[in-house]
Amino acid sequence: MRDLAPRLPSSPGFWRSPLRGPWFTSVLGLVLLVGITVLFLTGLLSYAAYNPGLSPVNDKTPDKGLLGFYLFAWPTGPVWLYRLTQGVHVTLGLALIPVLLAKLWSVVPKLFTLPPVRSLAHALERISLLLLVGGALFEFVTGVLNIQLEYLFPGSFYPLHFYGAWVFFAAFVAHAVLKVPAALRNVRRMRDEGRTPAGDTEDPDGLRSARPDAPTVSRRGALWTVGGGSLLLLATGSGRSFDGAARATAVLAPHGGAEPGGGPNGFQVNKTAAYAGIDAAETREDAWRLVVVGRTGTVRLGRAELLRLPQHSAALPIACVEGWSTSDQWWRGVRLRDLAALVGFDGDPPDVFVESLQRRGAFRRGALRANQVADPRSLLALSVNGEPLSPDHGYPARTIVPAAPGVLNTKWVARMTFGELG
């Protein structure tokens, strides 16, 4: 009678690849151990950079509870801090995708092992594995969708990615505690005994196929293929974090085409004036007024009046959560701390609540901490690179703050309230 058992995924004979084995899985696991730890830490820094403690304005995860234990006032220096941390987070996440997929492929037979539960301890291990695999896929998929500006998932990206990261990393740590010692032994045994990867005979987890097909590539060759895929994703996703010719290689990055025009305003934007619903009639010099509110009352300033105030310059980049950034641009305008002084906060500026003319989309409003307001490089910018701001870069005025995420550099500013957050 014909044997049908190998047709079932739960049968040891179903999985035929000779590449699967403890050495192959261990190497991939150790790479992910380092890479995912860096991803998690840079993700926490990205969240801290939004200063979610300025509730309720900046806090997109109001029910975080103890998960916000580490939060701190985000610093203003070095000015490239967020450009670095978020660039690493996004480009490393892209580069790890082939490694993650190869790792999941290497252990997929274990997901179909029967019986599904053999004991309470085994049940807990299976649940942790489910959280690990599900959490990894969720975090990587939502992260990739976010950097491509494709919001196909229900709800806001910020709480979904934040809570998902904690669930995934908790399962990841539990799995690492159980598996890393064995992974290190597998790799060390190959080195010490001078074996080729194809010769690993110890297989306590049953990763090797019971009925392997003839090999068409070695395990080291498979690892080189995975590494090549990672390098390709790195090259096609990271260019927007650098200057010069490298930017043209970033075909997987958002806004991956040419720079938006030439001239002083010819550098990358995220939201255009048209997208934000900015009406040109309300930004004309005779119509627009900046409302500044503080301890001593309210001041209304037109653009001409702002230009008569002491002007200051700062060379600052713009860095976005999607991983792209610009080189330093030369901004000029009024220091935020000087605006605070106009409404009674001379020498000791408080937090500020900034509101935009923008009518739709996230971050129409944002808050900046007192340390950001006090920094002499923090400006209400009126010009960039020697020319007035273009509409897409926030004309008639925008905030620009060192080391802050791009969305907190509010464009088309209409109102600033010092000392009270909305």
Side-chain angles (χ1 to χ4, degrees):
M1 183 174 177
R2 193 176 178 183
D3 182 12
L4 298 180
R7 295 178 180 270
L8 301 175
S10 58
S11 169
F14 181 86
W15 306 98
R16 305 293 297 275
S17 174
L19 295 178
R20 291 189 177 92
W23 184 85
F24 186 71
T25 298
S26 296
V27 172
L28 294 171
L30 292 175
V31 172
L32 288 174
L33 175 66
V34 176
I36 287 177
T37 300
V38 173
L39 277 185
F40 182 69
L41 294 176
T42 52
L44 293 184
L45 290 176
S46 178
Y47 181 65
Y50 282 78
N51 279 322
L54 296 178
S55 181
V57 184
N58 291 359
D59 194 357
K60 302 298 179 183
T61 54
D63 300 322
K64 60 184 177 294
L66 293 177
L67 299 182
F69 70 94
Y70 74 96
L71 293 176
F72 55 95
W74 188 250
T76 56
V79 297
W80 41 260
L81 178 62
Y82 188 73
R83 188 183 188 192
L84 173 66
T85 60
Q86 193 61 15
V88 169
H89 184 74
V90 170
T91 54
L92 179 61
L94 285 173
L96 285 178
I97 289 174
V99 184
L100 175 68
L101 294 179
K103 167 71 171 178
L104 294 178
W105 173 86
S106 74
V107 299
V108 70
K110 300 294 292 180
L111 300 179
F112 296 92
T113 301
L114 293 178
V117 175
R118 296 191 297 268
S119 64
L120 177 59
H122 187 240
L124 294 175
E125 180 184 350
R126 300 285 282 187
I127 291 172
S128 69
L129 187 61
L130 177 64
L131 293 174
L132 179 68
V133 174
L137 293 175
F138 178 82
E139 286 299 289
F140 276 81
V141 168
T142 55
V144 169
L145 289 174
N146 179 64
I147 66 174
Q148 297 300 329
L149 308 178
E150 295 288 349
Y151 301 107
L152 305 179
F153 38 82
S156 170
F157 167 76
Y158 299 95
L160 289 174
H161 206 65
F162 177 78
Y163 295 128
W166 279 104
V167 171
F168 164 59
F169 197 71
F172 178 76
V173 169
H175 185 75
V177 168
L178 293 173
K179 299 298 184 182
V180 164
L184 291 173
R185 285 196 301 272
N186 285 330
V187 174
R188 190 180 302 117
R189 188 179 70 250
M190 293 300 176
R191 182 196 63 198
D192 294 343
E193 297 180 12
R195 289 178 170 179
T196 62
D200 57 334
T201 55
E202 296 183 25
D203 188 19
D205 291 326
L207 295 173
R208 293 201 303 137
S209 173
R211 300 173 57 196
D213 287 328
T216 58
V217 64
S218 69
R219 288 174 183 159
R220 282 198 174 92
L223 285 177
W224 278 110
T225 301
V226 173
S230 291
L231 288 175
L232 179 62
L233 287 176
L234 184 67
T236 53
S238 63
R240 286 278 156 179
S241 294
F242 300 96
D243 299 327
R247 297 179 74 81
T249 67
V251 296
L252 295 185
H255 319 297
E259 298 289 354
N265 280 273
F267 57 95
Q268 195 61 66
V269 298
N270 196 351
K271 293 177 290 192
T272 64
Y275 171 85
I278 303 301
D279 186 347
E282 61 186 339
T283 61
R284 295 198 316 260
E285 286 204 29
D286 60 345
W288 178 81
R289 293 292 183 274
L290 172 69
V291 179
V292 184
V293 181
R295 179 187 290 158
T296 57
T298 300
V299 175
R300 288 175 173 82
L301 300 166
R303 186 175 162 86
E305 293 168 296
L306 287 168
L307 286 168
R308 286 194 291 269
L309 294 175
Q311 301 292 295
H312 298 269
S313 299
L316 301 173
I318 295 177
C320 198
V321 68
E322 291 93 8
W324 64 266
S325 58
T326 73
S327 57
D328 288 355
Q329 309 298 322
W330 196 253
W331 306 90
R332 189 164 177 81
V334 182
R335 293 186 302 192
L336 297 187
R337 68 186 192 185
D338 291 343
L339 291 172
L342 291 178
V343 288
F345 294 101
D346 191 5
D348 186 25
D351 303 338
V352 63
F353 177 47
V354 185
E355 299 173 81
S356 173
L357 293 173
Q358 180 181 338
R359 286 181 170 77
R360 63 171 182 264
F363 293 98
R364 299 183 300 276
R365 309 176 305 162
L368 299 171
R369 280 199 181 275
N371 67 304
Q372 294 173 310
V373 177
D375 193 294
R377 298 165 295 183
S378 296
L379 304 175
L380 180 73
L382 305 172
S383 64
V384 63
N385 299 323
E387 295 289 338
L389 298 170
S390 68
D392 288 344
H393 280 299
Y395 181 88
R398 67 171 296 164
T399 56
I400 185 74
V401 176
V407 291
L408 293 182
N409 292 307
T410 306
K411 297 193 283 190
W412 314 291
V413 175
R415 185 181 182 93
M416 304 181 75
T417 304
F418 289 92
E420 293 185 13
L421 302 183

